[in-house]
Amino acid sequence: MKTTDKSIKKTNSYLRMGIIMLTFAAVGAVIGFVLINILYGNINGIKTGFSGAVSQIQQFMVPLLLAIMAVSVIYGEVNLHKLKLIGKMILQTEDEECDKWDYEEEKTGAWGTAVNVLSQIACILVLASGYSLKYIEDEHHVNMLAACVIFLACYSYDGLWSVRFVKTIQNIHPEKKGDPSSKNFREQWLQSCDEAEKEIIYQSAYKSYSRTNQWLPALLGITMLGHLFFDTGIMAVITTAAIWLIVTVSYLHSCVVLKRAKLRE
Amino acid sequence: MALLNYLKEYRSRMGINQTELGRMAGVSRQTISLIERGDYSPSVTLALKLAKICRVTVEDIFEYSEEEDS
């Protein structure tokens, strides 16, 4: 009975995988058909549209970067102030009441970090639109220089914010160790976490790995189609493929190293 | 959860809060809170440490229930 159950389960898994692959193939075929028959005739129009969008961003590069920096600074300061107040509450309250503030601390820290990273990504995207010799040579070099200065200022603020964020958390929880400017910071931080905190970190890390492995193949497909139809550049395809490979190999390497370490023990 | 625990009762009997118990066991207050709520099953080492602090056996604090597991 057990063997039959196992074989049914196995068949179902193969069948399900086959259906998934067929579905993706069908979706790919439909997308290909649509792109070739409907969009291909307008491909130059789409390319012009993209170039237009990039030139619009180029035109407003300085105010856009200023806006990103303003949002980053205002949100960063409000976030740190809120975190300090939460820290005070954590130190003043006990047991069940403190659980609520611990959650608030986690949530506020997560929002702050997310906005910080988002600001860095937005800065790069906006500045990247100006990376064109044509744009710089067309008497826009002052604009580009100003954009670079704002970009550096914003990036410096974001970097310093990360250090201040870690220091704030360390003030609330003095047991948390690690120098945020050190390249071994993550390792030092993990060392200072207890077993329950480590479990949360490991679970979150595995979830991120799983999600990354779901998104990267899709992104690779998008960058590949983008390059095929809109000439968006092979670099995007190579970069996405490299990230996928690095993430997978890092995970597998870590698993093997940990198993080997257990074997030696 | 298959693992029931009476850590909160023993801690209350000792008259200490989660922060103090955490400090004595070398873990954070949050970890003590997670164990008390049954959201985290501690390692054998931590369970033994907690039992030693409370001056009872591990079985006094933690109880494995087969019924809830199924």
Side-chain angles (χ1 to χ4, degrees):
Chain A
M1 190 66 191
K2 259 185 180 174
T3 324
T4 326
D5 282 351
K6 211 175 177 183
S7 68
I8 289 169
K9 211 173 181 183
K10 219 173 184 179
T11 318
N12 284 344
S13 297
Y14 286 128
L15 192 72
R16 204 178 307 133
M17 194 62 194
I19 291 168
I20 290 169
M21 285 168 83
L22 276 173
T23 311
F24 274 103
V27 169
V30 170
I31 291 172
F33 179 81
V34 169
L35 286 173
I36 287 169
N37 287 290
I38 300 168
L39 299 177
Y40 205 70
N42 304 314
I43 205 116
N44 286 331
I46 293 165
K47 276 182 188 171
T48 316
F50 273 123
S51 306
V54 170
S55 64
Q56 281 295 313
I57 297 172
Q58 275 180 349
Q59 215 177 337
F60 296 105
M61 199 162 56
V62 173
L64 268 174
L65 282 167
L66 274 172
I68 293 166
M69 189 172 167
V71 170
S72 184
V73 171
I74 292 166
Y75 191 84
E77 292 310 309
V78 170
N79 188 276
L80 281 183
H81 179 68
K82 196 177 167 191
L83 211 55
K84 280 175 191 165
L85 291 178
I86 291 170
K88 276 183 191 164
M89 293 311 294
I90 287 176
L91 296 174
Q92 281 168 14
T93 52
E94 276 184 13
D95 303 352
E96 281 82 8
E97 209 191 332
C98 195
D99 286 339
K100 191 184 84 182
W101 294 109
D102 272 326
Y103 170 69
E104 285 299 321
E105 181 197 27
E106 194 70 39
K107 202 170 71 176
T108 309
W111 271 106
T113 310
V115 170
N116 186 271
V117 172
L118 200 67
S119 148
Q120 294 180 46
I121 292 170
C123 273
I124 286 183
L125 286 177
V126 171
L127 192 73
S129 70
Y131 280 141
S132 129
L133 273 179
K134 191 179 170 294
Y135 175 73
I136 298 167
E137 282 167 359
D138 282 353
E139 295 177 5
H140 286 112
H141 51 278
V142 178
N143 234 12
M144 186 64 194
L145 193 68
C148 284
V149 171
I150 301 164
F151 171 82
L152 285 175
C154 190
Y155 238 75
S156 306
Y157 174 80
D158 287 337
L160 288 173
W161 185 90
S162 304
V163 176
R164 286 167 67 203
F165 170 70
V166 172
K167 297 275 178 200
T168 309
I169 298 290
Q170 284 172 336
N171 278 336
I172 304 168
H173 308 281
E175 70 277 8
K176 293 277 175 290
K177 301 279 177 263
D179 175 10
S181 61
S182 162
K183 70 179 170 83
N184 297 323
F185 167 68
R186 281 181 184 83
E187 214 168 290
Q188 293 164 356
W189 183 272
L190 190 67
Q191 287 298 319
S192 67
C193 291
D194 67 30
E195 54 179 65
E197 290 166 334
K198 277 180 184 163
E199 193 180 288
I200 292 171
I201 293 172
Y202 297 150
Q203 279 181 8
S204 307
Y206 188 71
K207 214 169 193 175
S208 319
Y209 167 72
S210 304
R211 206 155 284 174
T212 311
N213 259 326
Q214 281 171 346
W215 275 95
L216 280 174
L219 289 173
L220 190 63
I222 291 168
T223 50
M224 191 190 74
L225 287 173
H227 179 58
L228 282 177
F229 291 100
F230 308 112
D231 197 21
T232 49
I234 191 74
M235 201 55 200
V237 186
I238 294 171
T239 311
T240 318
I243 296 169
W244 190 10
L245 200 66
I246 290 166
V247 168
T248 309
V249 171
S250 303
Y251 174 78
L252 295 173
H253 179 256
S254 175
C255 287
V256 173
V257 167
L258 286 170
K259 277 269 164 74
R260 194 170 55 199
K262 295 271 177 219
L263 210 65
R264 278 178 192 158
E265 281 170 12
Chain B
M1 277 295 291
L3 198 66
L4 301 170
N5 79 79
Y6 305 99
L7 185 62
K8 194 175 176 178
E9 285 80 353
Y10 281 105
R11 179 175 60 78
S12 302
R13 254 184 244 177
M14 288 170 73
I16 55 172
N17 61 26
Q18 290 175 341
T19 313
E20 284 162 332
L21 181 60
R23 204 170 292 147
M24 289 160 93
V27 292
S28 65
R29 187 207 66 79
Q30 292 97 310
T31 300
I32 299 295
S33 174
L34 286 170
I35 297 170
E36 286 185 355
R37 291 199 311 250
D39 289 337
Y40 175 67
S41 300
S43 66
V44 177
T45 316
L46 181 55
L48 285 164
K49 251 187 204 178
L50 291 169
K52 200 174 175 184
I53 293 164
C54 297
R55 291 180 186 163
V56 288
T57 64
V58 174
E59 288 83 357
D60 287 330
I61 303 178
F62 299 98
E63 190 183 305
Y64 179 69
S65 161
E66 288 274 357
E67 284 169 22
E68 284 192 38
D69 201 26
S70 58

